[in-house]
């Protein structure tokens, strides 16, 4: 029937057995926009660090600075574009051509999963110039060095921190709201976010704070601290706080992992 929706089971189902439909490997943006909820645990959530390669160039030039002449900076950008094209061809050979073509934005996922295009561009932008007379990069002759990868990690960490600082609320604000939500029927959510709060305060963030990273996280405070006043959140307020908290947790954990990676190199 043209008016029917058909599902094909991937295994034999007994009469009366529950059939489950997978939502797919989607980010929290997709879940919130199309389904009206945010999963408690979603390994496929991501954060858009840059809208595209030109956005990366503008950020590096204006926020970080290059110290290059205009000719040298143009040479760096051209080399970075070439590196990204090579990365995209490698992704296409691995069967990810459609994904790369459909998503020009450069993202980071949990567990330090950084878009390879972003890393390749940042590494090449750090390569040395041959000479003032010949501004072409030495990438034609030399492989990416360890220090280039380290500098790329530092730039990604700086961008993650910048995105954290751009929120109007802090991670502490959102975790306190969610773990003390007094709306009826939210016992499970309160317990979940209370557990998240404990995990966050157990992280070794004190050393990161001393280095200027993650200033929003205040170890020892929060749901278990003195401020236990609850708020009766409506559904929209709760969803907004959950969405923000998940994004901030993703960024915060990656700042922590990037710092570890940089210090190990």
């Amino acid at each position: 029937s043209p008016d029917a929706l058909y599902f094909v089971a991937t295994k034999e189902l007994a009469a009366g057995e529950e059939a489950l439909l997978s939502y797919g490997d989607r980010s929290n943006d997709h879940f919130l926009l199309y389904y009206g909820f945010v999963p408690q645990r979603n390994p496929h959530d991501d954060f858009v660090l840059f809208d595209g390669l030109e956005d990366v160039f503008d950020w590096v030039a204006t926020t970080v600075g290059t110290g290059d002449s205009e000719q040298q900076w143009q040479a760096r950008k051209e080399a970075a574009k070439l590196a990204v094209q090579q990365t995209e061809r490698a992704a296409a050979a691995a069967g990810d051509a459609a994904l790369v073509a459909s998503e020009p934005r450069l993202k980071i996922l949990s567990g330090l999963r950084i878009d390879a295009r972003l890393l390749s561009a940042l590494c090449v932008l750090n390569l040395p110039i041959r000479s003032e007379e010949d501004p072409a990069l030495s990438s034609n002759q030399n492989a990416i060095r360890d220090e280039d990868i380290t500098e790329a990690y530092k730039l990604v960490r700086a961008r993650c921190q910048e995105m954290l600082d751009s929120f109007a609320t802090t991670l502490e604000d959102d975790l306190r709201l969610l773990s003390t939500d007094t709306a009826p029927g939210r016992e499970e959510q309160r317990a979940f976010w209370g557990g998240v709060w404990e995990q966050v305060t157990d992280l070794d963030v004190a050393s990161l704070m001393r280095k200027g990273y993650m200033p929003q996280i205040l170890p020892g405070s929060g749901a278990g601290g003195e401020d236990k006043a609850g708020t009766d959140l409506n559904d929209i307020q709760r969803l907004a706080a959950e969405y923000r908290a998940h994004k901030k947790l993703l960024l915060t954990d990656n700042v922590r992992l990037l710092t570890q990676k940089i210090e190990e190199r």
Side-chain angles (χ1 to χ4, degrees), residues 13-33:
L13 295 175
E17 183 179 352
E18 183 180 22
L20 302 177
L21 172 66
S22 171
Y23 285 97
D25 300 342
R26 308 289 187 179
S27 72
N28 284 355
D29 304 65
H30 186 93
F31 283 106
L32 182 60
L33 180 62

Side-chain angles (χ1 to χ4, degrees), residues 7-170:
F7 291 93
V8 179
T10 57
K11 67 174 186 177
E12 292 292 330
L13 295 175
E17 183 179 352
E18 183 180 22
L20 302 177
L21 172 66
S22 171
Y23 285 97
D25 300 342
R26 308 289 187 179
S27 72
N28 284 355
D29 304 65
H30 186 93
F31 283 106
L32 182 60
L33 180 62
Y34 293 105
Y35 301 112
F37 73 95
V38 176
Q40 286 188 343
R41 295 177 179 83
N42 181 9
H44 306 292
D45 193 21
D46 56 43
F47 194 97
V48 177
L49 294 178
F50 297 99
D51 289 333
L53 193 55
E54 290 298 328
D55 195 20
V56 176
F57 296 153
D58 291 342
W59 180 78
V60 171
T62 60
T63 305
V64 181
T66 66
D68 290 338
S69 67
E70 181 62 29
Q71 189 178 15
Q72 289 172 333
W73 180 234
Q74 289 300 323
R76 289 190 190 279
K77 292 197 293 184
E78 291 305 316
K81 291 177 183 178
L82 179 60
V84 169
Q85 291 171 3
Q86 293 171 342
T87 303
E88 289 177 339
R89 284 196 291 270
D96 292 330
L99 177 62
V100 170
S102 66
E103 183 52 274
R105 299 176 301 173
L106 304 172
K107 304 177 180 180
I108 189 169
L109 287 80
S110 61
L112 209 56
R113 291 174 289 164
I114 306 168
D115 192 311
R117 296 171 296 178
L118 176 58
L119 277 181
S120 64
L122 292 176
C123 284
V124 169
L125 287 176
N126 191 63
L127 285 172
I129 297 291
R130 285 180 188 162
S131 68
E132 192 67 35
E133 293 74 26
D134 181 8
L137 293 183
S138 58
S139 56
N140 294 331
Q141 300 169 350
N142 300 332
I144 297 293
R145 305 163 301 173
D146 283 345
E147 61 235 59
D148 300 319
I149 299 172
T150 299
E151 287 304 312
Y153 283 149
K154 289 179 180 179
L155 289 173
V156 174
R157 181 178 65 179
R159 182 61 170 179
C160 287
Q161 184 63 56
E162 184 178 79
M163 295 294 96
L164 269 172
D165 295 340
S166 70
F167 282 97
T169 59
T170 67

Side-chain angles (χ1 to χ4, degrees), residues 240-259:
E242 287 181 341
Y243 176 83
R244 292 193 307 264
H246 280 297
K247 295 298 181 183
K248 293 171 189 174
L249 286 167
L250 187 155
L251 290 170
T252 296
D253 194 49
N254 277 310
V255 167
R256 179 180 65 86
L257 293 172
L258 282 162
T259 299

Side-chain angles (χ1 to χ4, degrees), residues 176-208:
R176 181 181 290 112
L177 273 176
L178 292 165
S179 59
T180 60
D181 181 10
T182 58
R186 301 265 174 82
E187 292 79 13
E188 182 179 344
Q189 289 93 332
R190 281 196 298 272
F192 171 79
W193 287 108
V196 170
W197 183 271
E198 293 300 322
Q199 292 176 26
V200 168
T201 54
D202 283 344
L203 292 176
D204 181 20
V205 299
S207 61
L208 294 178

